Amino acid sequence: MQAAKPFLLILFGVLLSLIIIEMPRAMAFIPGFIALAVLALYSIKDKNPPDIPTRSIATIGAVFALAGLSYFWSYDTANTVQRSFKIAPLFIVGALCVTWGQNFKTAHIRPYFTLLSAALIAGALLVVAELHFLSPLYKIIRGLEDSQFVQDAVYNRGTNILVISCFCTMSYWLHSAKKPLYALLLMASIFTLMTYTDSQSAQLAFVAGLIFFFAFPYRFKAAWYGLIGLITLGLCGAPFIAPWLYSHADYINTLPFLGGNMGYAGPRLEIWDYVSRYALQSPILGYGVDSTRVITDFDSAQTYIAGNTIFHPHNFALQIWIEFGALGALCGSILIGWIIYSIKNVENITAQRACLASLIAALSIFTTGYGMWQSWWLGAIFFTLAHCLFICRLHKETPQT
């Protein structure tokens, strides 16, 4: 029976990897289902309800409440109501994941990271194989003809989920389990994936996460406050910075990695420019949640991308500005600052590394890739948040190194 346990963990990890890579939209609710199942089993077995982290849940709830309140200044009230109802269930997923993170038994966290490692390694290798052999599994699952073309970008969602999940897992093998070979195997798999993927958001997030994991000066208080200040400056100044960047778009779009058909810097900068200028027409409260979906009169130069409509700005700071104005920028700065300050106050430096690297990787993707309210992406964020809580609790039992 004991010999079968690692095999079952790896098997479940592989099944999770299939969901992450081939059906990433399911991540909107899979973390919530896992958390609910664990908490229900604990409640039945221990005959006690789980401890509820009220402060964290209240913070998540406040974010979603702001989305609902934007009805009162919305560009399109019907759209605001529809989008608010659509994202409301994600509050439940977030609450479940935080509660899971706080209540998951330490004895179960260790085998869970074995399962998660199998998922990340299998997921990375699966994407590499799919890209190399022209997506055979993707075609089989969807009943496509072998000759049909599948864009490489269909794997970008799963790739980004793997990236934000890898830092807590690496921290576990390096510092808690003290098996650096497993950490090396994990990171080698992710690195191989980075050489195949066409997701520049994932590549940038992976590099940024590694830099903060290994090189951030964790022992210096000034570095923490400097980071909070820098992010606050970027968030609050986003609609002023973006037009300035766009004025240099011709040059930026010629740079390796950023330009041409690689990073699409020109189209991104053009979107950021016209969203910024529109946001500053209602600078205090913005236009309501997911307003970019219904705004049809953006003043786009259409130099790099045709049309003047967009689902989201591909930048969380500009999305906050156009949806919630300066009020949102202030609230967002406070929230991110509080998260970083909370990580700073974690007693174990190895847990700090895992949490901060995960946060920076997620913010990097938020800044260049996906919209704030994409359900699968928020589910992945809450999933990673639970992992950060696991690491913080595990490292409390690990001697400081």
Side-chain angles (χ1 to χ4, degrees), residues 175-379:
H175 302 293
S176 187
K178 299 191 183 302
K179 293 182 178 179
L181 185 60
Y182 290 172
L184 182 62
L185 178 61
L186 168 66
M187 300 314 288
S189 302
I190 301 294
F191 181 81
T192 302
L193 171 59
M194 293 300 100
T195 65
Y196 272 80
T197 183
D198 71 342
S199 174
Q200 280 72 38
S201 293
Q203 292 167 336
L204 182 61
F206 183 62
V207 172
L210 286 177
I211 291 172
F212 273 82
F213 190 95
F214 289 108
F216 184 78
Y218 287 88
R219 297 189 184 279
F220 293 94
K221 290 184 179 180
W224 291 95
Y225 295 120
L227 178 60
I228 293 173
L230 186 63
I231 292 176
T232 300
L233 181 63
L235 201 165
C236 292
F240 308 99
I241 297 170
W244 176 81
L245 287 174
Y246 183 62
S247 68
H248 298 84
D250 288 344
Y251 170 70
I252 296 172
N253 200 48
T254 64
L255 296 175
F257 183 77
L258 295 177
N261 291 323
M262 293 183 65
Y264 300 98
R268 281 287 192 274
L269 291 173
E270 190 157 85
I271 293 167
W272 295 355
D273 171 64
Y274 66 67
V275 169
S276 297
R277 289 185 287 107
Y278 205 100
L280 290 176
Q281 294 176 33
S282 180
I284 306 301
L285 295 176
Y287 295 94
V289 65
D290 251 357
S291 53
T292 47
R293 289 178 173 269
V294 292
I295 294 175
T296 58
D297 58 341
F298 284 118
D299 180 24
S300 172
Q302 301 190 41
T303 302
Y304 298 99
I305 184 170
N308 65 341
T309 59
I310 195 73
F311 281 154
H312 59 81
H314 297 277
N315 181 292
F316 83 99
L318 294 178
Q319 187 167 358
I320 287 174
W321 267 96
I322 198 163
E323 293 181 6
F324 309 113
L327 171 65
L330 176 62
C331 293
S333 298
I334 292 172
L335 174 61
I336 296 174
W338 173 70
I339 292 172
I340 294 174
Y341 185 77
S342 299
I343 296 173
K344 169 189 169 294
N345 289 335
V346 173
E347 295 180 0
N348 191 292
I349 195 171
T350 55
Q352 290 178 341
R353 293 181 189 277
C355 295
L356 188 61
S358 299
L359 173 65
I360 295 299
L363 286 177
S364 174
I365 296 168
F366 263 128
T367 303
T368 59
Y370 301 105
M372 291 195 305
W373 307 115
Q374 289 183 263
S375 55
W376 69 270
W377 178 232
L378 280 177

